[in-house]
Amino acid sequence: MKPVDHRLILSFRIALIVIKLAAVVVMANQASQKFVYGGF
Amino acid sequence: MSTYLNPAFYAAVAILYCGLQLRPAWCTRSAWFGALNLVVLIALFGAKVTVAFLGFSCVLWLLLNRLCHSRQGASRSMREVGIYCGVTMLFLFHKQALFWVDLLHGAGPGLDKQAQSIASFFETIAFAYLYLRSLDVIRVVSAGGKLLDPISLSGYLLPFFMVPAGPVNVYSDHVKIDLEPAPAPNWTSFVAGIDTVTSGLFLKFVVAELWKLYFTGLSGNWPASGLVDTSIILVYVYFDFFGYSLVALGVGRLLGIPTPVNFKAPFLSTSVTEFWTRWHISLGDFVRRGLFIPLQVLMVRRFGRRWSYATNLVALVLCFAFVGLWHRFTMTFIAWGLLVGAIIALEKIVRDRWAETDASRTESTKLLQRILGPVYVFAVIVGTLHLVIPELLGQAR
């Protein structure tokens, strides 16, 4: 069995972080222009 | 703007992450965190709120310090009950803050302004969570546990990253941070912390908000006439609250401050009892250790072990009545708590009887439970939530 490449996992995690942050920034930007975030 | 979308919040996290590594040797970790936390609270919520909160921490510390130094006996018990009552009175005031503001409205501009600022103070510092943490401290210290110094205590009572939506952290876990060596910062744990924070942000500000946008449009007004509407709101609340809790969890992990996990796939539960061990876990754990167990012990001592099963059921119902009241101090929420408690008590009776039968042990029954259980749980949760939704949304039914 091949050993797990930790650097690859770390890179994958960082890529996911960037994608999630980008989505949040896009939504926050839209929110300020078109709608308001909110629960109840 | 939401606290978790405020860039100042993340600047505070970064400063605290670095600041915690620069702790002087003479200072304990809890005290150093407490001091830095106060600075962050001033930056995020203002000096007025922070000084008022610090005043609350100091008064609580003074009362508990006196309790620690008093002898065992009736007067000590009276003091303990007095502290519980005092904190509970403040909590009730917080729950009825708007009522007091309305009452003082028109009593003169000075009084009105003061009432407004007191009400906003209780709102800002999320007093509902502060109350539960205070109860946890009182319980542990009155049972002989360690009392932290006032600054460390303030760091436990109101960590800046738990202000928006909890969770209810555990006092005895917070005390332990002084006993264990500080975790050395490393790249993997740093990325894991950031990963948790961004997952929380994604769930709250993308998934939950897209879900809401899809069903409510740009108006953002929730329809709440039918059970389907309630189930849509329940899913929104799940992503919203889970997201908030994950952000707090991630920041807690980054800073090395004990922060409990709050959600564990609640919709996969096969019973309502199990659901409440997977949804808002920190509140459930608090109620179990701070209310259910003491209440059960008290009732068994009073009525004898012969009645332990009945007292167990009564304690369950009373605990959920407390959970209802904690959410909102109204008759609707008491009724909701009593109803959920009664369902869980009924489940316990049925489960105990069912476990004795041979049918409960077959593989096909277990499979059926795993499939139908979540459907039953979702239906019950939506049904009970439907009772309180109009009040939550501020709509009269």
Side-chain angles (χ1 to χ4, degrees):
Chain A
M1 207 170 145
K2 276 176 85 176
V4 181
D5 188 347
H6 288 285
R7 277 183 305 178
L8 189 73
I9 293 172
L10 208 60
S11 314
F12 182 70
R13 256 188 148 163
I14 291 169
L16 261 179
I17 288 170
V18 172
I19 291 166
K20 284 182 283 187
L21 273 180
V24 172
V25 169
V26 168
M27 278 294 284
N29 188 38
Q30 289 290 308
S32 63
Q33 289 169 18
K34 291 179 183 162
F35 64 96
V36 180
Y37 275 132
F40 297 114
Chain B
M1 184 194 272
S2 164
T3 308
Y4 288 156
L5 276 185
N6 187 353
F9 176 84
Y10 298 98
V13 173
I15 290 166
L16 224 73
Y17 183 78
C18 302
L20 285 172
Q21 318 302 330
L22 303 171
R23 176 175 63 91
W26 50 266
C27 190
T28 60
R29 271 178 74 205
S30 62
W32 189 241
F33 171 74
L36 293 177
N37 182 58
L38 285 173
V39 176
V40 172
L41 286 177
I42 291 172
L44 290 179
F45 304 104
K48 221 173 172 180
V49 167
T50 310
V51 168
F53 157 67
L54 188 61
F56 171 83
S57 300
C58 289
V59 170
L60 184 64
W61 182 85
L62 276 171
L63 293 170
L64 288 172
N65 194 37
R66 285 203 67 183
L67 186 75
C68 288
H69 291 101
S70 59
R71 285 185 196 158
Q72 290 287 350
S75 74
R76 186 188 161 106
S77 303
M78 284 300 286
R79 266 188 195 162
E80 191 184 324
V81 172
I83 301 172
Y84 274 121
C85 288
V87 177
T88 304
M89 290 299 282
L90 274 176
F91 171 70
L92 294 180
F93 178 79
H94 146 75
K95 285 286 170 196
Q96 299 296 316
L98 288 175
F99 167 77
W100 294 110
V101 171
D102 285 345
L103 199 72
L104 289 170
H105 190 73
L111 270 178
D112 190 29
K113 202 178 165 192
Q114 272 181 7
Q116 290 283 4
S117 66
I118 292 169
S120 67
F121 162 71
F122 278 109
E123 283 300 314
T124 317
I125 62 167
F127 201 81
Y129 284 97
L130 186 62
Y131 170 62
L132 296 185
R133 291 182 196 124
S134 304
L135 293 187
D136 207 27
V137 178
I138 300 167
R139 186 184 59 82
V140 172
V141 171
S142 57
K146 187 187 172 187
L147 174 63
L148 292 169
D149 61 88
I151 300 293
S152 306
L153 186 64
S154 72
Y156 162 72
L157 288 174
L158 202 70
F160 74 98
F161 57 96
M162 295 189 204
V163 170
V168 189
N169 45 344
V170 185
Y171 179 68
S172 38
D173 286 349
H174 197 83
V175 170
K176 279 183 200 154
I177 64 174
D178 290 337
L179 308 173
E180 294 158 359
N186 66 72
W187 187 238
T188 312
S189 66
F190 178 77
V191 173
I194 300 281
D195 194 19
T196 310
V197 171
T198 50
S199 295
L201 288 173
F202 185 79
L203 284 179
K204 161 71 192 115
F205 295 108
V206 179
V207 179
E209 295 305 324
L210 281 178
W211 178 266
K212 188 184 173 194
L213 259 183
Y214 182 77
F215 288 103
T216 66
L218 292 178
S219 71
N221 296 324
W222 288 107
S225 49
L227 287 169
V228 177
D229 301 322
T230 306
S231 59
I232 291 166
I233 295 173
L234 175 65
V235 174
Y236 170 81
V237 171
Y238 169 65
F239 285 122
D240 180 85
F241 195 12
F242 186 23
Y244 269 128
S245 302
L246 271 184
V247 176
L249 181 67
V251 174
R253 281 180 178 168
L254 274 173
L255 303 179
I257 301 301
T259 310
V261 172
N262 229 9
F263 288 87
K264 271 185 193 164
F267 294 120
L268 294 181
S269 312
T270 54
S271 66
V272 179
T273 313
E274 192 190 346
F275 178 85
W276 287 104
T277 61
R278 289 164 169 257
W279 175 286
H280 206 170
I281 299 167
S282 64
L283 176 65
D285 284 348
F286 168 83
V287 171
R288 195 175 305 117
R289 67 176 180 272
L291 197 63
F292 178 76
I293 295 171
L295 209 58
Q296 172 73 349
V297 170
L298 196 78
M299 284 199 285
V300 168
R301 273 186 193 156
R302 176 78 182 78
F303 301 108
R305 286 180 69 182
R306 200 158 58 95
W307 293 96
S308 64
Y309 195 81
T311 54
N312 193 301
L313 300 178
V314 172
L316 265 175
V317 177
L318 290 177
C319 284
F320 271 92
F322 171 81
V323 171
L325 278 175
W326 179 77
H327 280 90
R328 240 172 229 210
F329 198 71
T330 61
M331 288 310 289
T332 318
F333 271 83
I334 298 176
W336 172 83
L338 289 172
L339 179 64
V340 175
I343 290 169
I344 288 177
L346 195 69
E347 260 189 6
K348 183 175 166 53
I349 297 168
V350 173
R351 197 176 54 237
D352 290 347
R353 295 266 167 94
W354 171 246
E356 290 167 4
T357 62
D358 292 334
S360 67
R361 293 179 200 109
T362 61
E363 281 305 311
S364 56
T365 316
K366 284 177 185 168
L367 184 71
L368 208 64
Q369 258 182 324
R370 252 176 257 140
I371 296 166
L372 293 181
V375 179
Y376 151 73
V377 171
F378 193 80
V380 171
I381 298 299
V382 167
T384 50
L385 182 67
H386 195 64
L387 293 175
V388 293
I389 275 289
E391 198 170 301
L392 274 177
L393 299 178
Q395 300 168 352
R397 185 171 268 161

